[in-house]
Amino acid sequence: MRPTDLTRREKQTLKRMSSEPEYSERVALRAQMILLHHRKHTVSFIAEELNTSRGTVSLWIRRFQERGLDGLQDEERSGRPPIYPEECVKALFDVIKVSPRKLGLPKSRWSVRSLESYLNTTMGYSIKRSRIHMLLRERNVAARR
């Protein structure tokens, strides 16, 4: 497989996708695969470095080369749809970046409980504490900042 050519914008976006918590671990891993391939690493090296299979690396490189950045996102799957819409999850990660005081709350740091309260009462979402905790843990983000 020949090395993946990237534009400056694609390179910046892939770096952001691989490091920012707003992207899932799966998308971050795919972005890392493309960046390593762009640096002329072999599929075998990438698979070993990222602890995945050669087939998985080849699949995501091929999808990126065919579809660009959109090819790194999960496709629709059959089965039960997610309980929480993506805009709710995005709101969570947007809110956690801002100090509660700047949003008019009498706290200096977020807790899972205060995030739940803010998202449900102020923003109109219906999300449980357990789901917030799970989303934060999946992306390795601490609630208390």
Side-chain angles (χ1 to χ4, degrees):
M1 215 174 244
R2 75 181 214 304
T4 304
D5 293 328
L6 299 175
T7 65
R8 178 180 291 169
R9 186 185 73 76
E10 286 174 330
K11 220 185 289 189
Q12 290 171 340
T13 302
L14 287 166
K15 285 179 184 176
R16 195 172 66 249
M17 289 169 80
S18 68
S19 62
E20 290 189 7
E22 68 187 79
Y23 295 97
S24 70
E25 284 184 40
R26 293 192 315 243
V27 171
L29 181 68
R30 296 167 193 164
Q32 291 172 1
M33 289 177 192
I34 304 307
L35 288 169
L36 287 170
H37 194 250
H38 171 70
R39 293 183 195 125
K40 300 182 174 143
H41 291 291
T42 65
V43 171
S44 297
F45 173 84
I46 297 167
E48 188 173 323
E49 187 73 16
L50 299 178
N51 197 26
T52 190
S53 71
R54 292 180 61 215
T56 299
V57 174
S58 295
L59 167 81
W60 290 110
I61 291 171
R62 190 171 37 260
R63 282 224 1 218
F64 177 80
Q65 289 174 342
E66 292 171 359
R67 303 180 199 172
L69 293 168
D70 292 337
L72 300 181
Q73 301 298 324
D74 287 324
E75 293 181 335
E76 290 292 321
R77 296 179 181 204
S78 62
R80 182 177 176 179
I83 296 172
Y84 302 101
E86 190 58 37
E87 64 266 10
C88 177
V89 175
K90 184 174 179 346
L92 166 65
F93 288 102
D94 288 344
V95 166
I96 203 166
K97 292 176 185 175
V98 180
S99 166
R101 289 224 166 110
K102 288 185 179 178
L103 297 173
L105 299 174
K107 297 178 171 274
S108 60
R109 302 202 264 165
W110 288 112
S111 66
V112 174
R113 187 178 301 245
S114 62
L115 283 165
E116 176 195 32
S117 176
Y118 186 81
L119 289 168
N120 292 340
T121 58
T122 307
M123 299 190 78
Y125 293 109
S126 179
I127 187 167
K128 294 181 180 178
R129 254 181 274 161
S130 59
R131 180 64 175 157
I132 292 171
H133 183 72
M134 187 177 84
L135 288 166
L136 295 174
R137 193 175 62 231
E138 278 177 1
R139 292 175 173 94
N140 203 23
V141 175
R144 298 186 185 274
R145 293 192 170 225

